[in-house]
Amino acid sequence: MRLLRKVCKQMLKGSLAVLGGMLWTFTGFAQTAKLDSNYVNPHYEMRLKEFSAQPIPKNAVVFLGNSITARGKWAELLPGMPVVNRGIGGDITHGVLARLDDILAAKPKKIFLLIGINDLSRRFPEEVIMQKYEQLVQRVKQKSPKTKLYVQSVLPLLDDMLQPAYLKNLNPAVTSLNTKLQAFAKKHKLTYINLHPVFADASGQLKKEYSLDGIHVTDAAYPVWVQYLKDKKYL
């Protein structure tokens, strides 16, 4: 009888260990699955084709980022300046890094980088985002050391206008990431451009008069943006 009880206990322990291992594996898989770093899609590929047909001129000023950058009519706002738009809607830090070499091959004079909101919407940990920023900076230093890189703060959101649920309540994460970006820029002796005073209201939300849909800014916001860059002597 005692022997039977001992065998049963051992069998139970073994079953629990297997079950625990299965749960750990499943949890680990779920956590990994949440980190969707894929950036290649038809729109991304289409934009790359457009870029290849639009060579970057000498001493160019490049605006680099996601759809917030892509929607800007930078060349019209800065006439007489060799301005290039390298924004791709939906892009993340991984996607920017993957296409950075083509930009650096032209040895641009300046790069205004704004990227990170889509990373946050995918719930990337800050450490992952900052690792990509580190790689971006190192790539610039290696491939085009004379290029001046400007790190722009991630813009706030306006929760009341946002439709996708996954974008709501991200402003605390935006603020936290911007704090990291500011320290990061200081560490690497880069210029950090704090756009918060331009686009945030008193509660830290994107100003309603500049909000198109809670995340993207209106056409009227871009001239204000450019004027801010001029006032700060970044342009």
Side-chain angles (χ1 to χ4, degrees), residues 42-202:
H43 177 69
Y44 184 93
E45 294 177 331
M46 179 193 72
R47 288 290 282 165
L48 290 185
K49 289 180 181 179
E50 291 176 355
F51 297 158
S52 66
Q54 303 166 0
I56 299 176
K58 187 178 180 180
N59 294 320
V61 175
V62 178
F63 286 84
L64 177 60
N66 50 43
S67 57
I68 296 172
T69 293
R71 289 166 177 257
K73 298 177 181 178
W74 307 105
E76 293 181 16
L77 293 168
L78 294 163
M81 192 177 292
V83 177
V84 175
N85 189 329
R86 285 297 184 264
I88 297 182
D91 209 3
I92 57 177
T93 50
H94 297 68
V96 169
L97 183 62
R99 56 193 175 91
L100 186 59
D101 283 356
D102 289 339
I103 296 171
L104 297 178
K107 301 295 187 285
K109 183 178 181 180
K110 298 179 179 182
I111 295 177
F112 288 89
L113 175 64
L114 174 55
I115 196 71
I117 190 61
N118 294 319
D119 300 61
L120 291 177
S121 74
R122 296 192 191 190
R123 301 306 188 265
F124 284 11
E126 283 185 350
E127 309 85 72
V128 173
I129 300 174
M130 296 313 302
Q131 285 172 7
K132 289 302 170 183
Y133 263 92
E134 286 281 356
Q135 293 174 34
L136 285 164
V137 170
Q138 293 306 318
R139 190 76 59 85
V140 172
K141 289 180 178 180
Q142 292 168 5
K143 302 284 186 176
S144 187
K146 292 184 179 180
T147 297
K148 188 168 179 60
L149 179 63
Y150 295 83
V151 177
Q152 300 181 104
S153 63
V154 176
L155 303 189
L157 306 172
L158 181 57
D159 285 334
D160 289 345
M161 290 183 69
L162 289 170
Q163 292 299 319
Y166 64 85
L167 287 175
K168 292 182 181 293
N169 303 313
L170 276 181
N171 276 325
V174 168
T175 300
S176 180
L177 178 59
N178 283 337
T179 300
K180 293 281 196 311
L181 289 176
Q182 186 171 16
F184 170 83
K186 183 177 181 180
K187 169 188 171 184
H188 289 283
K189 296 180 172 59
L190 304 173
T191 300
Y192 174 74
I193 301 177
N194 183 15
L195 296 172
H196 196 268
V198 181
F199 293 110
D201 62 20

Side-chain angles (χ1 to χ4, degrees), residues 20-35:
M22 290 174 63
L23 288 173
W24 183 91
T25 301
F26 178 78
T27 302
F29 173 79
Q31 290 174 342
T32 302
K34 287 179 182 178
L35 188 60

Side-chain angles (χ1 to χ4, degrees), residues 215-228:
I215 179 171
H216 299 102
V217 294
T218 61
D219 288 344
Y222 290 98
V224 178
W225 190 338
V226 167
Q227 188 58 52
Y228 181 78

